[in-house]
Amino acid sequence: SARRNMSVSTQAAFESGHTDQIHDCQYDYYGRRVATCSSDRTIKVFDVAGETQTLLANLTGHDGPVWMCAWAHPKFGTLLASCSFDHKVMIWKESEQGVFSAIYTSPATLHDASVNAIAWAPHEFGLSLACASSDGCVSVITHRADGTWDAQKIQGAHSIGCTSVSWAPAPPPGSLVAAGGASATPVKRLVTGGCDNLAKIWRFDPSAGWKEEHQLRAHGDWVRDVCWSVNMGLPMNTIASCGQDNKVFIWTQNEPGGEWSKTLLNDFGAPVWRLSWSVMGNVLAVSDANNMVTVWKESVDGRWNQISATE
């Protein structure tokens, strides 16, 4: 499922040139480029700005299926991250048009199993990448002022394995409506999903590192994806989770530090693989094992209604 602005309703298909299954497809910040990654161990970058799609780059360096790719915010330059079954995370930088080179490859000590998901932090937090692995650990790779990369790990984040990771938005909930809220210090938070049927929320403490803050219990099987919605400074946190149990839950926290309440969005009758919020954070796209992508919107009475479906 391509995570991008879902106000665009046109559809287009093009031949990727991958020789095996494609696992992810990501538009860049401006919607002009698409990166795809595949079991053929490659990542391909396409220019899609015009009527045609042009292959710009074919990135090789992973030794196994590449599960996910992610563009960094353009304020950091043209950077693309990827993660693979080969236990590695790689970060690629475009030095000139269509020329990408690997500027970071995770050391063998970072993860000792498949790295299943990656997510760039909101740009307000600097250049940081969260990674979720089948070894049960979550790592956060951060670019330092001296040009080096530093990695912090959440050991044993999920027993059996970690499938997904998503950052909380940088604006603190309520900052839009609170007096002087613009000066509130953003807090780094992550939500992760795992093979222990749990989603977990983590908070970063500058003195103590990443600490578990909440456990979200509802799924009866592996949690396949978690996705934190943009709050636009409104006083509410919203997270979507999906699972092997065919269900999608919407989790809401009405005030900072408050309890999380859940709403069952739908039982899809098939495992649900990926979730994606719209740029405004009020529309959710869901992709499931029936090869369906459905789009859902919350109504004023708090109910979630399906507004479109694509096979």
Side-chain angles (χ1 to χ4, degrees):
S1 64
R3 302 190 175 198
R4 82 155 299 189
N5 184 347
M6 284 175 290
S7 63
V8 178
S9 59
T10 55
Q11 293 182 30
F14 65 94
E15 181 52 54
S16 71
H18 283 294
T19 57
D20 207 333
Q21 185 174 5
I22 297 171
H23 298 292
D24 197 16
C25 167
Q26 293 288 343
Y27 282 86
D28 72 355
Y29 181 84
Y30 300 109
R32 295 178 190 150
R33 289 179 169 185
V34 165
T36 59
C37 58
S38 164
S39 280
D40 67 10
R41 307 181 178 191
T42 70
I43 302 141
K44 294 181 187 289
V45 179
F46 298 88
D47 184 330
V48 294
E51 293 297 308
T52 58
Q53 296 81 31
T54 308
L55 178 65
L56 291 178
N58 186 51
L59 311 182
T60 57
H62 281 294
D63 302 315
V66 186
W67 301 130
M68 194 178 282
C69 51
W71 295 95
H73 190 279
K75 74 179 278 187
F76 303 111
T78 306
L79 297 178
L80 181 67
S82 58
C83 64
S84 167
F85 182 75
D86 66 6
H87 309 180
K88 287 192 297 196
V89 176
M90 298 183 73
I91 298 173
W92 312 79
K93 183 179 178 74
E94 185 181 40
S95 52
E96 54 185 286
Q97 178 78 6
V99 179
F100 287 80
S101 55
I103 59 166
Y104 174 85
T105 302
S106 60
T109 52
L110 188 64
H111 290 292
D112 55 19
S114 173
V115 182
N116 301 316
I118 48 177
W120 288 105
H123 66 86
E124 294 92 338
F125 294 137
L127 195 57
S128 286
L129 184 74
C131 316
S133 171
S134 290
D135 63 10
C137 300
V138 174
S139 62
V140 178
I141 303 162
T142 302
H143 189 254
R144 297 295 177 203
D146 62 2
T148 61
W149 295 85
D150 168 60
Q152 292 181 306
K153 270 177 91 167
I154 305 173
Q155 298 281 1
H158 291 270
S159 58
I160 315 174
C162 190
T163 59
S164 47
V165 61
S166 178
W167 290 81
S175 60
L176 183 70
V177 293
S183 62
T185 305
V187 176
K188 295 179 187 175
R189 281 188 174 85
L190 293 169
V191 60
T192 58
C195 305
D196 53 5
N197 307 354
L198 296 174
K200 295 185 180 183
I201 295 170
W202 308 85
R203 184 181 194 272
F204 183 73
D205 182 324
S207 60
W210 291 95
K211 297 296 177 188
E212 184 181 313
E213 195 173 57
H214 290 283
Q215 290 189 1
L216 305 180
R217 295 175 178 270
H219 290 284
D221 206 332
W222 289 14
V223 176
R224 284 290 183 186
D225 199 13
V226 286
C227 198
W228 206 311
S229 173
V230 179
N231 63 31
M232 307 303 279
L234 296 171
M236 179 186 281
N237 271 307
T238 305
I239 292 171
S241 66
C242 67
Q244 193 70 20
D245 61 358
N246 310 343
K247 292 174 180 164
V248 172
F249 287 98
I250 307 294
W251 303 85
T252 52
Q253 183 190 43
N254 289 324
E255 57 187 14
E259 288 301 307
W260 287 85
S261 58
K262 67 180 184 289
T263 301
L264 176 64
L265 178 87
N266 192 39
D267 185 324
F268 288 82
V272 185
W273 289 89
R274 293 287 290 276
L275 302 166
S276 176
W277 287 104
S278 64
V279 172
M280 295 298 288
N282 60 341
V283 175
L284 181 69
V286 179
S287 62
D288 64 39
N290 286 330
N291 292 330
M292 290 292 294
V293 178
T294 53
V295 179
W296 301 75
K297 189 171 188 272
E298 188 179 18
S299 59
V300 289
D301 63 359
R303 294 186 185 182
W304 288 85
N305 302 309
Q306 183 180 320
I307 56 175
S308 77
T310 308
E311 196 164 350

